[in-house]
Amino acid sequence: MPRVLTTDTVEARDRLDFWNAAVSDAYVRLACTAPDGDVVGDIRVDSLATLELSRVTATAQHVVRTPSLIASTAEDYFLVSLQTRGAGRISQDGRTAELAPGDFALYDSTRPYTLQFDGPFQQYVLMLPGPTLRSRLRDTPTLTARRVQGAAGAGHLMIEMIRTLALDVDVLEPGAAAAVAQGVEHIVVAGLSSLGEAPRPEPSLAARREQVKAHVRRHLGDPGLSVAALAAALHTSVSSLHRAFADEPCSLAEWIWAQRLDAVRADLLDPAQRHRTISELAFDRGFVDASHFSRAFRARFGRTAREVRKG
C-alpha cells in the first residue's frame, strides 16, 4: 500500500514545517523554504522491489541538501526526478539541469544539491540504492544534474513506462515487481549513458527491450497480446520491436509464449492455486485453446501440466 503525505488537513501556519518533515521522510534529509513561508502539496510513495517510486505535486519551493544534513545520516541513494508538470531546476556538482515535462535528471544524496521550483509542479521521483547504480555506471559525478530529454529515446521510454507503472504498481505480484524494477533501472542507465561513455552498446535498443518485457509481464492475461498489439500500445513499429530483440535467444513472439508458460507453471506449483483447474490457470495467462496450451506446455517442460502439479 502506498504512503501518502499531504498538507490537506494541516493548518496553514504549520504547513511548511510539516512539508519539511514529509520530504525528509519520503526521500533523504532535506531543508525546504517557500514563498510566503507556505507550501501546499502531497507525496505518494510506493515501494517496488529495489527502488521507491513517488509522485510529488506541490507549490513553489526551494529544496536544499546541505553538507550538515548529509553528515547527520548515512543515506546513500541516487534520485531521478522525472518532470511531468511545470518546470524544475536541479543543481549539483557545478551543473544545473533545467527540466521541462518529460525530461529527467539524476542527483546523488551523498553530495550537496538544490532543487528549485518557481511555480506549481509535479514530478515522479525514483530512489535507487547508490551501490547498485555505481556498479552499472562509470563516473557518476559527471552524470548528475544533466538533463535527459523526454522528447525521444530513453527519456520518452522512461516517462511512458513510469506513467504505466504508477497505475499498476498496487496490483503487481512480487516477481513482476522485481522484473519491472530492473527494467526501470535499465532505462535510467540507458538514458544516462547517452550523456557520457556508454557501458553497453546500443542503449536505446536495450531500453526498448526492457520496456517491452515489463509491459508483457504486466499484461500476460490479455489473450490479444501480440507483437502488433505491443507496437500499438508502445507507440512504435513492429520492426523496431524485432530489432530490439535481435540479440535475444528467441523472437519476441516466442518470448511472450515462454513467459505465459512459465507463469502457468508457477501457478501450478502455488498451493494457493490448488483449487483452480489447469484450464482456468492457462486462460488467466492469455491462452485461449486448451489443446494448444497442453502441447506447448509439454514441449517446453517435457511434462504435462497435470504431472507438474502432482510433483
Side-chain angles (χ1 to χ4, degrees), residues 27-38:
Y27 305 112
V28 294
R29 291 285 303 280
L30 298 166
C32 301
T33 57
D36 302 320
D38 188 19

Side-chain angles (χ1 to χ4, degrees), residues 230-254:
L230 268 172
L234 298 177
H235 308 292
T236 188
S237 66
V238 169
S239 60
S240 72
L241 298 187
H242 287 314
R243 282 197 301 274
F245 270 74
D247 293 332
E248 292 287 288
C250 61
S251 69
L252 175 53
E254 290 168 339

Side-chain angles (χ1 to χ4, degrees), residues 77-81 90-99 103-109 111-113 128 130 132-149 185-200 203:
Y77 294 98
F78 282 101
L79 298 96
V80 179
S81 284
I90 297 173
S91 299
Q92 189 172 49
D93 299 320
R95 293 180 296 274
T96 296
E98 303 273 354
L99 302 185
D103 299 338
F104 71 86
L106 177 81
Y107 42 111
D108 185 342
S109 73
R111 296 193 304 283
Y113 63 79
L128 305 96
T132 299
L133 204 59
R134 289 189 193 93
S135 71
R136 301 180 60 193
L137 280 171
R138 293 189 296 272
D139 301 322
T140 53
T142 69
L143 301 177
T144 55
R146 298 180 66 181
R147 179 173 67 115
V148 179
Q149 296 186 46
E185 291 173 8
H186 283 318
I187 291 181
V188 171
V189 169
L192 294 170
S193 297
S194 68
L195 301 174
E197 292 185 359
R200 64 186 66 197

Side-chain angles (χ1 to χ4, degrees), residues 148-276:
V148 179
Q149 296 186 46
H156 179 69
L157 296 181
M158 181 78 162
I159 193 167
E160 293 299 323
M161 190 171 189
I162 292 302
R163 282 173 172 162
T164 302
L165 177 57
L167 295 175
D168 294 344
V169 67
D170 291 340
V171 298
L172 282 176
E173 298 173 355
V180 172
Q182 186 178 55
V184 171
E185 291 173 8
H186 283 318
I187 291 181
V188 171
V189 169
L192 294 170
S193 297
S194 68
L195 301 174
E197 292 185 359
R200 64 186 66 197
E202 296 188 283
S204 60
L205 291 181
R208 173 65 77 185
R209 185 164 57 249
E210 293 304 326
Q211 184 200 32
V212 169
K213 288 183 176 181
H215 185 93
V216 169
R217 290 185 179 109
R218 292 196 301 272
H219 297 87
L220 280 179
D222 178 4
L225 184 65
S226 64
V227 177
L230 268 172
L234 298 177
H235 308 292
T236 188
S237 66
V238 169
S239 60
S240 72
L241 298 187
H242 287 314
R243 282 197 301 274
F245 270 74
D247 293 332
E248 292 287 288
C250 61
S251 69
L252 175 53
E254 290 168 339
W255 187 84
I256 293 172
W257 283 113
Q259 292 299 299
R260 283 180 164 149
L261 291 166
D262 289 350
V264 175
R265 184 177 184 275
D267 291 339
L268 290 169
L269 297 173
D270 184 356
Q273 303 282 1
R274 281 285 180 183
H275 66 287
R276 306 185 65 202

